[in-house]
Amino acid sequence: MNAAARKIQRIYLTLTLGNTLAASFIWGINTLFLLDAGLTNLEAFTANAFFTAGMVLFEVPTGVVADGWGRRASFLLGTVTLAVSTYLYYLLWQLSAPFWAWAVVSVLLGLGFTFFSGAVEAWLVDALHFSAYEGNLETVLGRGQMVSGIAMLVGSAAGGVIAQATNLGVPFLLRVGVLLSMFAVAFLLMHDVGFTPERSPHPLQATRAVLTASIDGGLKNPPVRYIMLAAPFSAGVGIYVFYALQPFLLELFGDPRAYSIAGLAAAIVAGAEVVGGWLAPTVRRLVRKRTTVLVATSALGGLLLMALGFTRLFWVALLLLTLWALVTAAATPVRQAYLNDMISSRQRATVLSFDSLMGSSGGIVVQPVMGRTADVYGYSLSLALSGVIGLFAVPFLLASRRRRSPADTAAAASEAPL
């Protein structure tokens, strides 16, 4: 890695660290926060579904912002939007607001995250190419995931401990403060490199052109299309499981107010991200095809969730949770690299945002359905059913594999037989 690429990597890792730290303060206690505000399981997970709906609604428009106005502009807008909407969430908790208010602000939270999704990754990939980086993307993306995992580990664990020592609202205020700090950091360090935004005087016409090109490079590109069609099942399940683990572990532990135990679920996922990010380049060297990794990890992840749903022992649940998180984390950089190697620079942020939209669309359906299942039959059955739903991603991944895209074997360090 040359000096220019190393500088780009440092900025990317700094942005990833700050953003993930800010977001993760509430990840370990978010479901408990909503239940403490007086919402039922159905209402809490439906509020999460509205958050996901906000992501679906705004993913492509904010992707167009990133491609048309710049990835830096998109990032800055995201920090402000997410800080304001997080503070509104805190106010709703204080006021014991009705469900409709939670739904509205959840959509705004989704808007805040869509400014980030696609933009940062697109900024990184284009800047690395401009800097003549010759390594494979899994290495840098894996490091980003490791940094994200460390930040998530610290933030989620701290959020749970702080909530237990103070109240469930304080972690939300911490998130606001860190987000505002990240605005200043990005303003000073992040500049669009290797990409020139096209700021057309006719924004609607420019938006239509970007969308058309993005559809051509996305849904009309068969190997990309099948990866996107797998996302509603894998990502939708992942969203529900992450938040359902908080009350599920408390239930197994036997103390409904042990918020630090709830934070443990997020901390385990974070630790798995660190290990998974570290393992991703090694996995890539051992396995020639990226789709082999994606198919194997998707199938194993579904089976682990089914087993998790049937256990009633706290320590066994922690073990299965750790294995599921490791399997999922090791596949993430491989999937990111596979997708990025199949799309062009000019529409990269929009296509990546559309991919995120597909995953979020699954969350809109899975979260309220599984939340209702948890209300009626308990968290155990909802987690087992989530594992079954996750297995539906496998046929789409196999369909992408059959298209034999050059990206499936791009930059492989060894010619493994798989």
Side-chain angles (χ1 to χ4, degrees), residues 119-258:
V120 180
E121 190 175 320
W123 175 85
L124 170 70
V125 174
D126 288 337
L128 285 177
H129 288 163
F130 181 79
S131 304
Y133 172 66
E134 296 180 355
N136 61 50
L137 288 176
E138 280 93 344
T139 300
V140 180
L141 291 169
R143 288 170 183 165
Q145 184 170 297
M146 291 172 68
V147 168
S148 176
I150 292 170
M152 183 179 170
L153 180 63
V154 173
S156 57
V161 172
I162 290 169
Q164 188 165 337
T166 55
N167 60 62
L168 287 165
V170 172
F172 285 78
L173 296 179
L174 288 174
R175 176 197 262 195
V176 174
V178 176
L179 283 169
L180 294 178
S181 299
M182 288 309 301
F183 177 91
V185 171
F187 186 84
L188 294 172
L189 298 180
M190 187 182 186
H191 302 282
D192 289 320
V193 180
F195 169 79
T196 303
E198 297 182 5
R199 299 179 181 176
S200 171
H202 306 287
L204 291 180
Q205 183 178 348
T207 299
R208 189 181 302 113
V210 171
L211 283 176
T212 300
S214 300
I215 290 172
D216 290 340
L219 287 178
K220 289 186 178 180
N221 185 354
V224 176
R225 177 173 67 243
Y226 289 122
I227 286 293
M228 289 183 174
L229 290 176
F233 301 101
S234 55
V237 164
I239 294 168
Y240 172 74
V241 170
F242 182 79
Y243 289 112
L245 285 171
Q246 301 163 21
F248 174 68
L249 289 180
L250 285 182
E251 183 181 276
L252 293 184
F253 188 71
D255 183 356
R257 294 190 62 81

Side-chain angles (χ1 to χ4, degrees), residues 70-343:
R71 285 76 192 263
R72 177 176 182 259
S74 185
F75 187 94
L76 294 175
L77 284 170
T79 55
V80 173
T81 305
L82 193 54
V84 171
S85 53
T86 298
Y87 185 68
L88 290 176
Y89 234 47
Y90 171 77
L91 291 180
L92 294 183
W93 173 73
Q94 282 198 319
L95 298 172
S96 297
F99 173 74
W100 68 264
W102 290 98
V104 171
V105 178
S106 293
V107 171
L108 294 178
L109 279 170
L111 169 62
F113 275 102
T114 58
F115 279 113
F116 298 133
S117 63
V120 180
E121 190 175 320
W123 175 85
L124 170 70
V125 174
D126 288 337
L128 285 177
H129 288 163
F130 181 79
S131 304
Y133 172 66
E134 296 180 355
N136 61 50
L137 288 176
E138 280 93 344
T139 300
V140 180
L141 291 169
R143 288 170 183 165
Q145 184 170 297
M146 291 172 68
V147 168
S148 176
I150 292 170
M152 183 179 170
L153 180 63
V154 173
S156 57
V161 172
I162 290 169
Q164 188 165 337
T166 55
N167 60 62
L168 287 165
V170 172
F172 285 78
L173 296 179
L174 288 174
R175 176 197 262 195
V176 174
V178 176
L179 283 169
L180 294 178
S181 299
M182 288 309 301
F183 177 91
V185 171
F187 186 84
L188 294 172
L189 298 180
M190 187 182 186
H191 302 282
D192 289 320
V193 180
F195 169 79
T196 303
E198 297 182 5
R199 299 179 181 176
S200 171
H202 306 287
L204 291 180
Q205 183 178 348
T207 299
R208 189 181 302 113
V210 171
L211 283 176
T212 300
S214 300
I215 290 172
D216 290 340
L219 287 178
K220 289 186 178 180
N221 185 354
V224 176
R225 177 173 67 243
Y226 289 122
I227 286 293
M228 289 183 174
L229 290 176
F233 301 101
S234 55
V237 164
I239 294 168
Y240 172 74
V241 170
F242 182 79
Y243 289 112
L245 285 171
Q246 301 163 21
F248 174 68
L249 289 180
L250 285 182
E251 183 181 276
L252 293 184
F253 188 71
D255 183 356
R257 294 190 62 81
Y259 299 143
S260 56
I261 294 297
L264 181 61
I268 288 174
V269 173
E273 282 203 5
V274 176
V275 178
W278 175 69
L279 284 175
T282 302
V283 170
R284 189 71 234 283
R285 284 194 296 269
L286 295 174
V287 182
R288 187 170 68 90
K289 290 190 174 183
R290 285 164 167 162
T291 51
T292 299
V293 179
L294 301 182
V295 171
T297 53
S298 184
L300 183 56
L303 295 174
L304 287 169
L305 281 180
M306 293 168 65
L308 179 63
F310 286 105
T311 186
R312 301 305 301 164
L313 296 175
F314 179 74
W315 69 269
V316 175
L318 289 182
L319 175 61
L320 292 171
L321 164 59
T322 302
L323 292 174
W324 171 77
L326 278 172
V327 165
T328 303
T332 300
V334 178
R335 184 185 187 278
Q336 289 174 292
Y338 180 46
L339 193 58
N340 271 286
D341 277 344
M342 293 190 290
I343 55 183

Side-chain angles (χ1 to χ4, degrees), residues 346-357:
R346 299 185 73 82
Q347 295 84 36
R348 190 182 305 279
T350 307
V351 174
L352 291 176
S353 290
F354 196 84
D355 175 57
S356 181
L357 179 154

